[in-house]
Amino acid sequence: QAKARGRNGFSFYAPSMTGEGVERLRLETFLRRSIEKDEIFLNYQPQVEIDTGRLIGVEALVRWNHPELGLIPPIRFIPLAEDTGFINQLGKWVLHEACRQMVRWQQAGLHVPKIAVNLSAKQFERGSIVNMVADILSDTGLEPQRLQLEVTESVIMNTGDAMVFINDLHSIGVALAIDDFGTGYSSLAYLKQLPVQTLKIDRSFIKDISTDVNDEAIAIAIIQLGKSMNLSVIAEGVETDEQAAFLLRHGCNLAQGYLYSRPLSSDDMLARWQK
Ligand code: C2E
Ligand code: MG
Ligand code: MG
Ligand code: MG
């Protein structure tokens, strides 16, 4: 194939440059300029109380809309951003925008109690995440208690200084949630020592909750664990009334999922929730 393309049997591409490698490089190049080109934005997924439907917060979810490639899902560009180091710039932008948006909504008369923002392990490797968060909070004027950072179990377990950073974040008043709880390997001993407020039950356990006895057992165990450790527990990926009823029956009153709302633009948040 390379022979057919290159003149005189030469190929421009190194043999290791598979189609996939080329594609990746292209994406990488585009990604690096995505912020300055205004292609990155946030959506916000409501988190609600199951029994009342009351809004308790939103999760900020990053989106990339490229003029040629269209909307690219985070599962495709977050890993790339992590590999290239761009995640530091991206993560900072996301955090800043999320905090700014909270203040804008407030000014428009919509009170969103808190905003959850995802953090990558790579963001912990780069020195002081705590200063960055503190700077953004003071720059935007958002109260620290209204910001919740989401980290996965693997971030906590695999990042050497994660404990230190998490304690520092706690000391400036920022809340912490463990995302996708139950899918990583976590040590319950760590959980005991960390100033975490929230466990998020991973979507994979919620999906077949009323038909798969193992998923059911895991979900119940997480709810119980949260209860006995005085943590709030929120279920992610709730899509059906049946799942919601199951959660409520077992003592979990917080949820996020398509049953309540898909991730929304900031304007749609206003349209839907502003009184
Ligand atoms: P996550 O943090 O676990 O976010 C929840 C994901 O589940 C979101 O996907 C959301 O749209 C989706 N979701 C919510 N409710 C439902 C539902 O009822 N059914 C189904 N099938 N899906 C539901 P999204 O936005 O594609 O994000 C995927 C992942 O990308 C996130 O998982 C998170 O790990 C990562 N991510 C997103 N935004 C950021 C960010 O700003 N920074 C970092 N580091 N990671 C991010
Ligand atoms: Mg999350
Ligand atoms: Mg999650
Ligand atoms: Mg997830």
Side-chain angles (χ1 to χ4, degrees):
Q1 208 191 6
K3 219 178 192 175
R5 243 186 272 137
R7 250 176 268 164
N8 310 324
F10 280 133
S11 169
F12 173 74
Y13 299 108
S16 62
M17 282 279 236
T18 61
E20 214 174 281
V22 174
E23 186 52 41
R24 195 187 146 89
L25 202 62
R26 200 162 78 107
L27 213 57
E28 224 177 273
T29 310
F30 286 156
L31 185 59
R32 214 171 299 129
R33 308 208 49 196
S34 60
I35 294 179
E36 62 201 73
K37 292 195 158 184
D38 250 355
E39 295 164 2
I40 300 285
F41 61 101
L42 298 182
N43 271 179
Y44 306 89
Q45 189 175 34
Q47 301 178 327
V48 303
E49 241 171 37
I50 296 176
D51 58 358
T52 61
R54 200 172 61 94
L55 181 71
I56 59 144
V58 292
E59 177 175 8
L61 295 160
V62 70
R63 299 290 179 258
W64 178 21
N65 193 10
H66 187 269
E68 284 164 51
L69 305 173
L71 199 61
I72 303 156
I75 37 155
R76 276 192 65 204
F77 67 88
I78 294 287
L80 199 61
E82 288 174 334
D83 290 350
T84 57
F86 183 68
I87 193 69
N88 289 294
Q89 216 182 314
L90 183 64
K92 188 173 174 180
W93 186 91
V94 167
L95 199 61
H96 206 149
E97 181 63 15
C99 295
R100 245 186 330 237
Q101 189 55 56
M102 286 289 274
V103 176
R104 282 190 214 117
W105 280 327
Q106 192 76 48
Q107 286 163 350
L110 171 66
H111 178 76
V112 176
K114 68 161 212 254
I115 190 156
V117 177
N118 294 283
L119 287 186
S120 288
K122 289 277 145 60
Q123 292 180 266
F124 284 93
E125 284 169 16
R126 249 294 274 308
S128 186
I129 191 157
V130 186
N131 288 340
M132 179 186 81
V133 173
D135 284 351
I136 290 175
L137 286 170
S138 77
D139 186 56
T140 56
L142 184 72
E143 303 91 319
Q145 302 83 318
R146 294 174 65 200
L147 175 64
Q148 180 166 64
L149 299 175
E150 293 193 1
V151 295
T152 60
E153 293 157 287
S154 55
V155 169
I156 296 168
M157 300 304 293
N158 301 335
T159 311
D161 296 332
M163 291 279 274
V164 176
F165 292 131
I166 287 170
N167 277 302
D168 288 352
L169 286 168
H170 176 70
S171 73
I172 62 169
V174 171
L176 233 99
I178 303 188
D179 203 358
D180 306 337
F181 190 76
T183 59
Y185 70 101
S186 64
S187 148
L188 298 180
Y190 266 74
L191 195 58
K192 192 182 77 177
Q193 292 168 38
L194 282 175
V196 165
Q197 288 78 31
T198 303
L199 303 180
K200 294 190 81 175
I201 309 176
D202 190 63
R203 189 168 83 223
S204 61
F205 303 123
I206 303 300
K207 203 166 148 279
D208 301 314
I209 211 169
S210 33
T211 50
D212 185 311
V213 289
N214 293 318
D215 288 343
E216 192 178 305
I218 292 169
I220 293 172
I222 296 174
I223 296 167
Q224 290 305 324
L225 179 69
K227 261 218 167 80
S228 44
M229 296 185 77
N230 229 339
L231 305 172
S232 36
V233 176
I234 179 166
E236 61 177 23
V238 177
E239 295 184 354
T240 68
D241 286 318
E242 213 179 357
Q243 292 164 342
F246 176 97
L247 290 163
L248 212 49
R249 207 159 57 237
H250 289 92
C252 175
N253 190 23
L254 304 178
Q256 178 182 341
Y258 295 169
L259 176 63
Y260 305 99
S261 174
R262 300 221 165 218
L264 303 172
S265 69
S266 55
D267 285 345
D268 286 347
M269 269 299 296
L270 273 180
R272 160 102 196 257
W273 293 96
Q274 199 181 28
K275 295 280 177 329

